[in-house]
Amino acid sequence: MRKMVRYGVAALAGLALALPAMAHPGHAVESGFTAGLLHPLTGFDHLLALLAVGLWSRQQQRGFVLPPVLLVLMALGASMAGVLPAVSALETSIAATVLLFGVLAAFALRVPPTLSVLTVGCCGFLHGLAHGRELAGMASGAGFLLASAAIMALGALPGTRVRRLAGAAIGAAGAVLLAQAG
């Protein structure tokens, strides 16, 4: 079992090194439930951030509130994408959230509940801004939120050791994504 976990983490890290941050569909405006459902599954940066939030939420006091907070703030960010001016370093910010959540999960860093909610909320808002520019319509948003919730739930499933190893792999992937975005 331990070898399988190690190989899985190594494979995840290898994928991180091979894929740039914007190498997925969805950077042109798409619409429809299916487009929204597939978007977080095909965007390596978003997928890793969502998995890491799931991992980290299990390590926090009252961590069960973190995934819903991320979803709500991501929806708010998406709804504000057309109103707010474009953020110049949005892809860099997304890569930074992957690094941040990976490190938090790897080291199982516990922070006060208010700080964890603020951290997840701010990062969720940034992800929402990015997705609000990439996906169009309520159906896309519904699919996107459903897939995002499922990914975070999967991130919350592993045991402590796997959560920490996966967090380390995600943190390493975030560092690579950040270097590629810069």
Side-chain angles (χ1 to χ4, degrees), residues 51-173:
L51 282 171
V53 168
L55 294 167
W56 190 55
S57 70
R58 285 283 309 276
Q59 300 164 332
Q60 297 306 299
Q61 181 182 3
R62 296 185 194 93
F64 61 90
V65 303
L66 298 180
V69 165
L70 185 103
L71 293 173
V72 168
L73 269 291
M74 202 162 37
L76 181 62
S79 69
M80 300 295 291
V83 178
L84 295 175
V87 177
S88 61
L90 194 54
E91 283 298 322
T92 303
S93 300
I94 298 297
T97 66
V98 175
L99 174 60
L100 172 66
F101 287 126
V103 168
L104 291 171
F107 291 103
L109 295 175
R110 287 185 153 229
V111 299
T114 304
L115 182 58
S116 65
V117 167
L118 285 171
T119 302
V120 167
C122 289
C123 293
F125 189 81
L126 284 173
H127 279 261
L129 282 176
H131 291 294
R133 297 187 193 291
E134 297 168 356
L135 295 168
M138 293 294 285
S140 296
F144 179 77
L145 291 174
L146 179 63
S148 296
I151 293 166
M152 285 187 285
L154 285 173
L157 289 178
T160 304
R161 183 174 295 200
V162 174
R163 281 195 304 268
R164 293 187 74 165
L165 288 171
I170 291 170

